[in-house]
Amino acid sequence: MERSPNQFPQAAQNALKNPTLQTAMERGTQNGVNSRLRAMGELPHADQLRQQGRAAKQRALNHLPDLLTQFEAQISARGAQVLWAEDAAEANRLILEIAQKHRVKKVVKGKSMVTEEIGLNPVLEGAGLEVIETDLGEFIVQLDHDTPSHIVAPIIHKTREQVRDLFMDRLHMPASDDPAVMTAHARAHLRQEFLSADMGITGANFLIAETGTAVIVTNEGNGRMTSSLPKVHVIAVGIEKIVPTLEDFGTLLQILTRSATGQKMSVYTHLMSGPASPQDPDGPDSMYVVLIDNGRSRIYGEQYAEVLLCLRCGACQHVCPVYQNVGGHAYGAVYGGPIGSVLTPLQQGVENAHPLPYASSLCGACQAACPVIINLPDMLLKLRADLVSGGHTEPIMQMGIKAWARVMQSPRLYGLGGAAARAGTRFLSRGSETVTALPGILGNWTDQRDFPAFAPKSFHQLWREREQGS
Amino acid sequence: MTNPTSSRERILSRLRGSPAPFPDAPNAPQPYLSVTNLPDTSPEALLTRFQHEWEALKGEITITPTPEAAIQTVIGLIGEAKQVMSWEPLPLPGLPEALHAQGVAVARPTVRGEDRSGPYAALDPISVGITGADGALATTGTLILNTQGGQGRLPSLLPPRHLVLLRRDRLFTHLEGWLAAEGRALLEASRSVALVSGPSKTGDIEMQIIYGVHGPKIVHVIVF
Ligand code: SF4
């Protein structure tokens, strides 16, 4: 499997030629789009709520350092330990040390993108720990030595038939491709893991500063079990998950769930303000919150700080025409789709992910779907500019852009170029609406896309004719 | 654990060294717009809306006229089960005695400390959990389950069937209303508050909804 962002063009080509993936993506993304549209569309004030949510996250980032220390003070007063990790290696080391201190052998995990980001599982497994993903989709991914391809629907790229074969092979399930039968089989298997685990690791969707509360949202209940059954609970969370107040949380939680899965609320919203108290009959004896930076404080000071508003709802992935066709793996990184095309270059360096800012038609569907109205198309454009000014584009692209700039500066050249293009595409399209193969180096474009034929008359021509009254 | 305070200081000083990224961010609105709305907040309207939302989530619900009727409903729902696990105390006086009279054993699980797999394995075969609820949110069909004293998490977590006793005067309009009225105080006093909106479910395999993945498959609310 391609796991480098720089291999996006080839990985995308392969994805387009993979009929199983195409089937799975079509079944999955359409459903995701529809449920979000229903849930946000039924709110007459949806756009005001998105503005309200966006402003709440903006205020959270404006006061980020103070809110982090406020959260830390509140939750530590109830006995939780708060640790800070500058990068992935430090976060992994801290979590491993927690496990070793408590003599942990078996770890159950709730779904967490940040632990994918820091690559936690191999570190724990390398130290001899057993690590079990408990979200059904993540469990399937782990069983198949695969990686998640969507933020909220990790196996959107798999068909039910693939899951059947996997369960028959690895879990000795009798033949069935009924999702109910497969789910029951996984439940029975994972129940035993829950009951015997020593440590639970989850992410958090929100950290509420004013009350010192960490929140995880799940539908299966695995998040609540992971955070309730084992004696130790570790919350691994990015520092940008802070929200200032309960009012802010109230709005953001609900626009998150409506955008992610079309639900008014997820089935389980677990609000955790510390380890179990001495009087509680159950719950973890110890709780740790690992606040993970891993590049966020650097992005915070740059022109891309807006990306830190992201709630990780996955809506921009569902609606993206590129993502819908190539799936999440082609992006070669933890986060695929429009949000990934911005985050990956910022996290890994734009030169290490240079195709991703171009993996977009800039159609704007992502921003239109985003619950906090993140201007993803604008950031993709800025990243393209960074690539050009850093000299990271293909030479042919740079030639093209310089030629374009010269033409744009000269009305006469512009007019000539337009006329030539109109004549040329009329010829190539042979009267149809699209050109499927452009000549010469322009063929690089039509290798992957069709090109619409130019309108017979340019806007300038039409305008001149209109002015002249013809 | 070696957590050099220097990591903490370095992260904070990088953040403090940058100007606020959104100088034009609007102030918090007064009041906040709530995501959902219910024009009629009479007790009847709240219950009607809660029932509607809860059933849409594939939750089950029985509205009973009196506490005595609620006890009979619980006994009927338990059916053949000879053992249940429950909160202590339950908000419905007389229920433990009624269960005893039916020959139903009631476990009140307490599992803390180092070795948990033994006690958990003993509890796992119990098929019914009975709890109260701190309240419910009408517009989203959400139960509020707080942990305190003998009222723990296990009875609403392990068994495949969960029976929830909900007093009809504990209905709130929406999440925002509950957070303002009681949520803030509760979150400061309690370590674990679960908001539960329907039975456990997943859509991971081709987005087909399946109920009862890890948490209870059947959640039956008995309103009294
Ligand atoms: S960028 Fe917006 S739409 Fe995409 S995952 Fe983040 S919050 Fe959701």
Side-chain angles (χ1 to χ4, degrees), chain A residues 151 309-317 339 366 369-372 374 376:
Chain A
I151 295 176
L309 301 174
C310 174
L311 306 178
R312 303 280 191 272
C313 75
C316 58
Q317 301 183 316
I339 180 63
C366 47
C370 177
V372 286
I374 296 179
L376 292 160

Side-chain angles (χ1 to χ4, degrees), chain A residues 27-28 31-32 43 45 48-49 52 55 58-59 61-62 64-66 68-69 72 78 82-86 90 93-94 97-98 101 134-137 140 153-156 158-161 163 179-180 182-183 187 190-192 194-196 210-211 213 219-222 224-225 227-231 239 246-251 253-254 258 263-285 288 293 297 300-301 305-306 309 318, chain B residues 1-4 6-12 14-16 18-29 31-37 49 52-53 57 108-118 120-121 124 137 139-142 145 147-160 162 174-176 178-180 183-208 210-217 219:
Chain A
R27 288 179 189 169
N31 202 317
L43 300 174
H45 55 321
Q48 287 156 281
L49 289 168
Q52 186 168 284
Q58 288 182 320
R59 287 192 299 275
L61 290 182
N62 280 346
L64 187 55
D66 295 340
L68 284 166
T69 54
E72 177 186 42
R78 286 183 292 257
V82 178
L83 307 168
W84 302 64
E86 279 205 281
E90 186 174 24
R93 183 174 54 73
L94 288 170
E97 284 175 8
I98 296 168
K101 175 182 161 199
T134 64
D135 171 88
L136 179 61
I140 291 167
I155 56 162
I156 194 168
K158 281 198 194 312
T159 60
R160 66 176 69 193
E161 293 82 8
V163 178
M182 295 192 270
T183 302
R187 173 193 162 107
L190 287 168
R191 177 57 68 106
Q192 296 314 312
F194 273 124
L195 301 182
S196 54
E210 77 169 324
T211 55
T213 303
N219 281 318
E220 300 179 358
N222 64 313
R224 191 171 172 227
M225 292 183 107
S227 56
S228 298
L229 295 174
K231 63 185 182 185
I239 54 173
L246 283 175
E247 286 86 355
D248 297 327
F249 162 68
T251 300
L253 172 71
Q254 295 176 85
R258 283 175 187 260
Q263 293 168 280
K264 291 174 179 147
M265 298 256 285
S266 294
V267 176
Y268 299 97
T269 305
H270 196 189
L271 305 158
M272 301 162 293
S273 306
S277 79
Q279 295 79 37
D280 288 351
D282 45 30
D285 299 323
Y288 298 84
D293 181 344
S297 64
Y300 183 83
E306 177 157 348
L309 301 174
H318 281 312
Chain B
M1 234 124 330
T2 50
N3 184 39
S6 53
S7 288
R8 179 182 188 276
E9 298 323 318
R10 273 197 297 272
I11 294 169
L12 285 172
R14 263 199 305 277
L15 295 174
R16 293 211 162 97
S18 301
F22 303 99
D24 303 329
N27 289 327
Y32 261 70
L33 292 173
S34 60
V35 174
T36 53
N37 286 296
R49 177 66 178 268
H52 172 80
E53 296 291 340
L57 293 165
R108 299 187 175 86
T110 299
V111 184
R112 293 286 302 271
E114 278 294 306
D115 185 25
R116 300 182 174 204
S117 57
Y120 283 152
D124 196 43
L137 313 176
T139 59
T140 52
T142 304
L145 302 178
T147 294
Q148 61 170 20
Q151 305 180 323
R153 321 174 196 207
L154 296 173
S156 59
L157 204 54
L158 292 180
H162 176 204
H174 44 40
L175 175 67
E176 294 89 339
W178 170 73
L179 285 171
R184 183 178 314 268
L186 200 60
L187 289 179
E188 272 158 8
S190 163
R191 306 300 170 78
S192 163
V193 178
L195 307 179
V196 177
S197 308
S200 156
K201 68 178 175 188
T202 184
D204 274 345
I205 303 176
E206 290 191 3
M207 298 213 174
Q208 183 171 325
I210 306 296
Y211 292 92
V213 196
H214 295 299
K217 181 173 192 161
V219 187

Side-chain angles (χ1 to χ4, degrees), chain B residues 44-132:
Chain B
E44 300 74 39
L46 290 176
L47 184 54
T48 304
R49 177 66 178 268
F50 175 76
Q51 179 176 12
H52 172 80
E53 296 291 340
W54 185 252
E55 287 177 339
L57 293 165
K58 300 284 184 280
E60 297 180 8
I61 183 166
T62 307
I63 297 170
T64 62
T66 61
E68 293 69 41
I71 292 175
Q72 287 318 307
T73 302
V74 172
I75 298 291
L77 287 170
I78 286 174
E80 299 298 298
K82 282 287 157 243
Q83 201 185 16
V84 301
M85 65 172 98
S86 94
W87 274 9
E88 169 65 31
L90 283 167
L92 194 54
L95 180 58
E97 293 77 5
L99 290 169
H100 186 73
Q102 293 290 318
V104 176
V106 181
R108 299 187 175 86
T110 299
V111 184
R112 293 286 302 271
E114 278 294 306
D115 185 25
R116 300 182 174 204
S117 57
Y120 283 152
L123 291 167
D124 196 43
I126 300 178
S127 64
V128 181
I130 308 177
T131 74

